[in-house]
């Protein structure tokens, strides 16, 4: 009891310290100048004549990046050129973090194959299952037993109709954000996650059976690697022109290459998050529990 | 105006730490991690914000002579931070799924007790 009291006292004291330090530094930071004072930059002149813009007064890394952006990368979105050109290595590592997270989740959620039925349930489309296994074990068609409603457990009508209506919108909107990222806020990371949200819509409407039939987990997992290779390939194209990794390799300077890397990252994130969601939904295993209940 | 952002960021971080330290439910601990993460993201974005600035995009039709950019670097860093936060949340949730399967409970005290 006494020990508990002491620990809660320590906790309260540390939380108070965090709050007080936070408030003090908040006031300090709000009074100070912003990290980058952009008001001295003539944006229109910078856009129209990037070569002749006077860059001598630039102080700080952000000012240099903004002033040199149009001339060196030709990207209209400065955040984009920072992410894909100036900090290209960082984005590469970030994509590898996503791959690592998915590999870790796969390793944690991996289940031993106990009964053959659990293996065949995937019908040759699941993770970690070879084609030979799928061939030797004939797929169990669970729908054969069900008199009506096909393979799916009947979901509520409103859910199905709503998801049928929203599915194309979600997919198109996600890819709109990815492809439009060069000239508007958004881009590969955000749009990829939005496009991957379609997995959840399919799950809501058609259950885990629907997700398994529509999405090919192995293909999505391979897509991740493909997108990563694509990113490195596009970034490496510059070395044939004699410039650095992630540099804008189009020599004319009017086209941006960040857009291509952005698309690769969008593909990567979409495939990766789809993989994650499918893994987690399969771990929840709701359909099998429902089937057992009805049986 | 920017003061509100900073105070909210630190309040979110403190709230997240409180959740992680006090709550026994594993899902709530995961939520606390997420809240602390969002607080840090808000802090990073606020550092680069400048009153009256616009998004650093050369959409020349919408820009005027008077408009200026905010700092693009913290925004790019926040992008990294968000992705890492999502990855850690996914890992945590899968660990929680495994723990729930193994021990049948989400209470962290009971899980520790079961181990002996």
């Amino acid at each position: 009891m006494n020990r508990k009291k002491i620990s809660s006292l320590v906790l309260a004291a540390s939380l108070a310290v965090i709050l007080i330090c936070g408030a003090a530094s908040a006031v300090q930071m709000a009074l100070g100048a912003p990290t980058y004072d952009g008001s001295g930059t003539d944006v229109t002149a910078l856009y129209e004549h990037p070569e002749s813009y006077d860059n001598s007064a630039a102080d700080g890394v952000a000012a240099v990046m903004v002033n040199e952006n149009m001339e060196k990368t030709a990207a209209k979105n400065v955040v984009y050129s920072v992410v894909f050109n100036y900090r290209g290595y960082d984005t590469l590592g970030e994509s590898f973090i996503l791959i690592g997270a998915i590999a870790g989740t796969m390793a944690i959620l991996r289940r031993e194959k106990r009964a053959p039925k659990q293996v065949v349930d995937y019908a040759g489309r699941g993770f970690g299952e070879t084609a030979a296994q799928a061939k030797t074990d004939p797929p169990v068609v669970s729908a054969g037993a069900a008199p009506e409603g096909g393979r799916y457990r009947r979901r509520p009508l409103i859910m199905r109709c709503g998801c049928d209506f929203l599915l194309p919108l979600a997919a198109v909107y996600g890819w709109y954000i990815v492809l439009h990222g060069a000239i508007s806020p958004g881009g590969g990371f955000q749009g990829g996650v939005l496009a991957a949200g379609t997995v959840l819509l399919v799950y809501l409407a058609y259950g885990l059976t629907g997700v398994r039939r529509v999405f090919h987990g192995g293909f999505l997992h391979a897509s991740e690697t493909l997108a990563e290779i694509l990113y490195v390939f596009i970034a490496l194209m510059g070395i044939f022109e004699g410039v650095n990794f992630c540099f804008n390799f189009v020599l004319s300077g009017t086209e941006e290459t960040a857009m291509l890397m952005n698309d690769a990252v969008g593909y990567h994130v979409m495939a990766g998050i789809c993989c994650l969601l499918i893994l987690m939904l399969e771990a929840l295993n709701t359909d099998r529990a429902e089937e057992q209940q009805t049986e | 105006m920017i003061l509100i952002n900073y105070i909210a960021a630190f309040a979110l971080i403190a709230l997240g730490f409180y959740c992680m330290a006090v709550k026994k439910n594993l899902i709530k601990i995961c939520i606390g991690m997420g809240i602390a993460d969002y607080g840090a993201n808000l802090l990073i974005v606020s550092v680069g914000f400048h009153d009256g600035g616009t998004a650093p995009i050369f959409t020349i039709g919408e820009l005027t002579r008077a408009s200026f950019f905010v700092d693009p670097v913290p925004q790019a860093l926040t992008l990294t931070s968000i992705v890492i936060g999502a990855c850690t949340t996914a890992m945590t949730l899968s660990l929680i799924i495994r723990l729930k399967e193994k021990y049948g409970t989400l209470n962290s005290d009971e899980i520790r007790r079961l181990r002996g």
Side-chain angles (χ1 to χ4, degrees):
Chain A
M1 192 63 196
N2 199 19
R3 209 177 135 202
K4 207 172 180 184
K5 227 177 218 171
I6 292 172
S7 68
S8 60
L9 263 178
V10 169
L11 181 68
S14 52
L15 280 176
V17 165
I18 289 178
L19 269 179
I20 291 168
C21 291
S25 49
V27 172
Q28 198 71 30
M29 286 161 99
L31 289 179
T35 51
Y36 163 61
D37 184 22
S39 48
T41 310
D42 188 357
V43 175
T44 325
L46 190 57
Y47 180 74
E48 278 159 3
H49 307 288
E51 317 86 30
S52 55
Y53 192 81
D54 177 27
N55 198 19
S56 55
D59 58 330
V61 66
V64 174
M65 277 177 181
V66 170
N67 290 351
E68 290 184 345
N69 176 54
M70 284 311 283
E71 187 189 348
K72 285 200 170 167
T73 68
K76 289 189 182 61
N77 192 340
V78 184
V79 179
Y80 256 62
S81 65
V82 172
V83 169
F84 292 111
N85 290 126
Y86 291 107
R87 294 176 61 89
Y89 279 116
D90 183 51
T91 310
L92 184 66
E94 202 178 335
S95 312
F96 277 118
I97 287 175
L98 196 61
I99 286 186
I102 289 154
T105 312
M106 264 174 150
I108 292 167
L109 292 180
R110 171 192 60 203
R111 54 183 73 240
E112 306 91 43
K113 292 164 185 166
R114 294 183 204 92
K117 192 191 169 193
Q118 279 192 332
V119 180
V120 236
D121 232 0
Y122 297 90
R125 319 186 99 186
F127 293 100
E129 191 191 10
T130 58
Q133 275 176 320
K135 260 180 197 170
T136 49
D137 303 325
V140 174
V141 184
S142 55
E148 62 170 60
R151 287 151 188 262
Y152 307 114
R153 184 182 156 273
R154 286 299 231 188
R155 296 267 158 174
L157 181 70
I158 293 175
M159 208 92 106
R160 266 185 292 147
C161 290
C163 288
D164 284 349
F165 173 67
L166 286 175
L167 257 176
L169 284 182
V172 168
Y173 184 63
W175 276 99
Y176 159 75
I177 296 235
V178 173
L179 296 175
H180 221 245
I183 50 169
S184 73
F189 288 102
Q190 299 91 325
V193 174
L194 279 175
T198 49
V199 174
L200 291 179
L201 279 177
V202 171
Y203 178 72
L204 276 179
Y206 299 105
L208 195 54
T209 329
V211 172
R212 275 188 199 139
R213 285 188 62 182
V214 172
F215 294 98
H216 194 303
F219 176 72
L220 283 173
H221 193 52
S223 300
E224 263 181 87
T225 323
L226 177 71
E228 197 59 48
I229 293 170
L230 212 61
Y231 178 88
V232 176
F233 180 74
I234 297 165
L236 273 180
M237 284 291 277
I239 64 171
F240 296 113
E241 303 274 5
V243 291
N244 288 340
F245 187 73
C246 288
F247 203 84
N248 183 7
F249 59 82
V250 181
L251 277 185
S252 62
T254 53
E255 296 296 323
E256 53 181 303
T257 57
M259 208 151 64
L260 295 171
M261 290 196 256
N262 170 35
D263 297 346
V265 164
Y267 186 37
H268 177 106
V269 171
M270 186 201 67
I273 302 286
C274 276
C275 260
L276 264 181
L277 289 174
I278 293 171
L279 275 169
M280 293 213 155
L281 293 177
E282 285 193 345
L284 293 177
N285 228 348
T286 44
D287 271 19
R288 201 170 294 148
E290 279 166 3
E291 273 168 28
Q292 281 168 358
Q293 272 180 3
T294 49
E295 277 167 11
Chain B
M1 272 313 283
I2 199 73
L3 184 64
I4 298 172
N5 276 19
Y6 287 128
I7 289 175
F10 282 110
L12 278 176
I13 291 173
L15 188 67
F17 277 124
Y18 170 78
C19 273
M20 279 190 275
V22 172
K23 296 293 173 189
K24 301 292 181 201
N25 193 324
L26 289 174
I27 296 280
K28 285 179 185 169
I29 293 175
C30 184
I31 292 172
M33 282 171 63
I35 290 174
D37 189 31
Y38 299 143
N41 289 344
L42 180 59
L43 183 66
I44 303 174
V45 169
S46 305
V47 166
F49 184 70
H50 191 185
D51 260 345
T54 58
I57 302 169
F58 287 99
T59 43
I60 212 65
E62 296 166 18
L63 293 174
T64 58
R65 287 275 169 195
S67 56
F68 56 91
F69 288 164
V70 297
D71 196 345
V73 182
Q75 299 192 13
L77 291 179
T78 313
L79 207 59
T80 314
S81 165
I82 289 172
V83 173
I84 292 170
C87 290
T88 40
T89 309
M91 291 280 284
T92 319
L93 282 175
S94 53
L95 276 174
I96 292 173
I97 289 174
R98 271 323 212 188
L99 280 172
K100 168 80 174 154
E101 266 180 13
K102 189 111 179 156
Y103 296 108
T105 177
L106 283 176
N107 191 326
S108 55
D109 274 358
E110 279 180 38
I111 289 169
R112 197 189 305 153
R113 195 177 304 142
L114 284 170
R115 258 292 174 221

